[in-house]
Amino acid sequence: MPEKNANLSDHARRVREMFAGIANRYDLLNHLLSGNTDKRWRRLVTKSLQEVLSAEGSRALDVACGTGDLALALAKLTGAHIVGTDFCRPMLEVAAHKAATNVSEIPFVEGDALALPFADESFDAVTIAFGLRNLSSVEGGLKELWRVLKPAGRVAVLEFSRPVVPGFRALFQFYFTRVLPEIGGMISGSRGAYQYLPDSVSRFPDQKQLAAMMREAGFAEVEYKNLTGGIAALHLGTRPRQSLNFGCTTT
Ligand SMILES: C[S@@+](CC[C@H](N)C(=O)[O-])C[C@H]1O[C@@H](n2cnc3c(N)ncnc32)[C@H](O)[C@@H]1O
């Protein structure tokens, strides 16, 4: 289907250019617009993987790692070997600079989350934070996470979701769709990028739908935790020892 493929690569190109344009202001805006809550959310991801990453020599991959905050937190708090990957070079350059400043030896590898440049079954844990929503295919992204995960390995997906308390949801929606694009646009110089944020969240599956998609992709023990009233959610899953996924090719 050439027409479909052309659309997919156009989506990827636009997303990559958008992040390239805000790479230098990305961290500042993340922390400012979330009141530093994003740091606490990333620490929770790390905590949830501590057990699976406790063994000597364990390895984790942070997909769509951006400027590397989650990769750095994973390296610091688990001691596992961490690799970060993203398809936007300017975001990776910020990540590499931060790793060098923190004396952290994390390889940051340029790669597409829909065709990860890693062998099947190579990581004990795989994470993706605020990345899945940006892919042209959520199903395709989940398949790739599953493919590179070892049997019994754990996946953690941190993503914006649906606030669960009605009054709070309305208040947050106002902030997210009206206030955030203005402030984000002013500071980053790209209003489009901060308008894209609420737009892409509104198109993304909610907590239950994402859990169902993860099960569909072959993950077992799928569970999720609402963070800050459901503004974000942390979904966890395990790749079963016995493969139930017929859509992935592993040898
Ligand atoms: C909102 S940022 C999240 C960055 C980081 N994980 C964090 O928690 O701050 C989304 C990242 O996903 C990356 N991304 C989007 N689509 C991608 C794809 N197809 N392959 C690899 N990276 C992708 C972007 O380049 C960007 O760095």
Side-chain angles (χ1 to χ4, degrees):
M1 276 182 272
E3 195 179 304
K4 190 174 179 205
N5 287 338
N7 287 341
L8 295 188
S9 61
D10 187 47
H11 171 91
R13 186 182 49 73
R14 278 187 282 119
V15 168
R16 187 167 39 206
E17 279 173 9
M18 185 183 72
F19 282 104
I22 59 169
N24 289 324
R25 293 285 167 102
Y26 177 82
D27 283 345
L28 169 74
L29 276 161
N30 248 0
H31 306 327
L32 182 76
L33 294 170
S34 75
N36 276 330
T37 308
D38 62 312
K39 293 185 184 171
R40 190 165 58 80
W41 291 343
R42 289 192 188 85
R43 274 199 302 276
L44 280 171
V45 177
T46 305
K47 267 193 177 170
S48 71
L49 297 175
Q50 243 154 1
E51 200 180 318
V52 76
L53 293 176
S54 61
E56 182 76 30
S58 51
R59 283 162 51 83
L61 175 69
D62 184 31
V63 176
C65 67
T67 57
D69 275 0
L70 180 56
L72 283 160
L74 282 164
K76 189 171 161 195
L77 298 175
T78 69
H81 299 287
I82 313 297
V83 179
T85 184
D86 198 287
F87 74 173
C88 178
R89 195 182 286 246
M91 293 289 271
L92 288 178
E93 282 167 1
V94 177
H97 178 72
K98 278 156 63 179
T101 311
N102 283 277
V103 201
S104 195
E105 287 183 14
I106 302 175
F108 287 104
V109 179
E110 200 169 331
D112 188 342
L114 294 174
L116 288 168
F118 303 100
D120 295 357
E121 304 184 8
S122 31
F123 295 95
D124 301 281
V126 178
T127 57
I128 183 162
F130 309 111
L132 199 55
R133 163 178 51 88
N134 297 295
L135 307 185
S136 52
S137 164
V138 175
E139 290 91 346
L142 290 172
K143 269 188 184 175
E144 274 298 87
L145 301 179
W146 193 94
R147 182 184 67 76
V148 298
L149 202 54
K150 291 180 187 171
R154 295 278 278 165
V155 66
V157 179
L158 174 62
E159 190 50 91
F160 286 108
S161 204
R162 299 285 185 284
V164 284
V165 181
F168 175 63
R169 181 163 54 221
L171 205 65
F172 176 73
Q173 272 308 106
F174 179 76
Y175 167 73
F176 205 48
T177 58
R178 302 286 177 83
V179 181
L180 181 144
E182 297 301 330
I183 301 176
M186 240 166 3
I187 297 179
S188 71
S190 168
R191 194 184 186 287
Y194 286 86
Q195 184 58 54
Y196 165 83
L197 174 56
D199 290 351
S200 60
V201 173
S202 72
R203 288 191 295 267
F204 191 68
D206 68 17
Q207 290 88 328
K208 285 189 180 149
Q209 289 165 337
L210 180 57
M213 289 175 85
M214 288 174 67
R215 288 188 196 99
E216 188 71 19
F219 292 106
E221 297 167 19
V222 174
E223 54 184 349
Y224 66 84
K225 187 180 166 61
N226 284 317
L227 308 179
T228 319
I231 290 177
L234 170 58
H235 284 70
L236 297 165
T238 303
R239 175 172 166 162
R241 285 178 199 279
Q242 289 264 304
S243 166
L244 297 173
N245 187 304
F246 305 109
C248 290
T249 47
T250 48
T251 48

